[in-house]
Amino acid sequence: MLLTVDAGNTQIKAAVFERDIIIHNEIIPYELWKNKIKNILKNFSQIQNIAVISVGKLQNDDFSSLQSEVKITFINQNAKVPFINRYSTPHTLGVDRMVLASGAVLSYPNTNRLVIDMGTCITYDFINDNNEYLGGAIAPGIRLRYEVLHNYTAKLPLLNKSIPLSTIGNSTEQSIHSGVINGVCYEIDGFIEAYSLEYKNFIIILTGGDADFLAKRLKNTIFANPNFLLESLYKTFQYNQND
């Protein structure tokens, strides 16, 4: 068994894999992470390895107390990947985006791929059918957009995400929902249309915490998989074990 841990900007996601299948997964608040991980190790005693990526608050040393119980592998920019990195600043590519690109190549061979990750930020990552990572885009995520409207204005309320009743908001709250949710959908569809002008055929993988929330509102055909980063981390770990 393998435990994968994705320490993101706002929360931690963990999944236990057995023979390529997720048999347990959960979202963990940062303040509870160590006890929660220890509970997972206790409940799944056959776990022999933990694969970790972190773009958030956790550092390698934070896991030192667990190293006596299980082998820990930190996936970073030095890991072996199944693609050629064409980013003009390759060492600045976030490890989460690197792992998503690896997962796209390993899961969908011999095709062009666009991975859209709906997390704190919305990231777009394009890998062509020659397994070249070309880059993409980074934009504010849904929650950030709601927070910006509230924090940088005097009177706009902070709302929880909600599907707007109409494109034309008939109240301040509905106008905010329309601006945030419809705006994100138009942005994603616009990026997909822009990529399609250069690449006629590519698959689209939508992942992250807001993937299911938005999937049915997009006009393009996509593979919605909220756990794709954890699955990609699993595949990247296995890929690095096969040297």
Side-chain angles (χ1 to χ4, degrees):
M1 287 185 184
L2 173 69
L3 172 62
T4 58
V5 177
D6 164 31
N9 289 298
T10 57
Q11 60 191 8
I12 296 169
K13 295 181 181 179
V16 179
F17 284 83
E18 183 176 24
R19 297 180 182 177
D20 302 340
I21 303 296
I22 293 178
I23 61 173
H24 173 80
N25 67 308
E26 60 182 283
I27 297 174
I28 302 171
Y30 265 95
E31 61 270 20
L32 301 176
W33 81 269
K34 190 167 288 187
N35 287 336
K36 289 287 189 178
I37 295 297
K38 287 183 176 180
N39 285 339
I40 292 173
L41 294 176
K42 180 181 178 180
N43 293 331
F44 298 91
S45 58
Q46 291 180 299
I47 293 174
Q48 297 179 331
N49 292 275
I50 302 178
V52 181
I53 59 170
S54 178
V55 298
K57 306 169 186 176
L58 294 187
Q59 305 298 321
N60 293 10
D61 290 345
D62 292 320
F63 287 84
S64 58
S65 63
L66 302 175
Q67 291 178 337
S68 62
E69 303 177 44
V70 66
K71 183 179 179 181
I72 302 173
T73 300
F74 301 95
I75 302 295
N76 55 34
Q77 279 85 356
N78 296 321
K80 184 178 71 170
V81 294
F83 60 86
I84 301 167
N85 191 344
R86 298 297 188 195
Y87 220 36
S88 63
T89 54
H91 297 296
T92 69
L93 179 64
V95 66
D96 52 342
R97 299 175 71 192
M98 182 193 82
V99 167
L100 285 170
S102 295
V105 170
L106 295 171
S107 300
Y108 302 96
N110 306 315
T111 188
N112 298 309
R113 314 96 170 162
L114 173 62
V115 185
I116 305 171
D117 185 9
M118 301 288 303
T120 302
C121 294
I122 303 172
T123 59
Y124 303 79
D125 296 290
F126 196 90
I127 313 96
N128 67 19
D129 55 5
N130 290 321
N131 294 337
E132 296 174 308
Y133 177 86
L134 303 183
I138 304 173
I142 288 177
R143 187 61 189 169
L144 275 181
R145 298 182 194 215
Y146 279 111
E147 290 178 354
V148 165
L149 288 174
H150 173 67
N151 292 334
Y152 288 89
T153 63
K155 295 184 178 180
L156 293 182
L158 178 60
L159 305 178
N160 292 319
K161 67 183 179 184
S162 178
I163 297 298
L165 300 177
S166 172
T167 303
I168 302 174
N170 65 356
S171 67
T172 296
E173 289 193 2
Q174 282 300 312
S175 294
I176 292 172
H177 290 314
S178 180
V180 172
I181 303 304
N182 288 324
V184 167
C185 292
Y186 297 149
E187 175 189 294
I188 292 173
D189 283 328
F191 269 111
I192 293 170
E193 183 177 350
Y195 286 127
S196 67
L197 295 177
E198 186 170 356
Y199 297 90
K200 298 302 180 185
N201 296 301
F202 56 89
I203 64 165
I204 305 161
I205 307 142
L206 186 70
T207 190
D210 288 322
D212 284 341
F213 179 76
L214 277 191
K216 294 181 180 179
R217 297 191 62 81
L218 300 174
K219 67 180 182 181
N220 291 277
T221 301
I222 60 173
F223 296 99
N225 181 355
N227 293 319
F228 189 69
L229 179 54
L230 291 169
E231 293 176 5
S232 297
L233 177 55
Y234 173 84
K235 290 178 182 291
T236 302
F237 172 82
Q238 299 290 359
Y239 184 77
N240 277 267
Q241 300 306 299
N242 294 329
D243 280 336

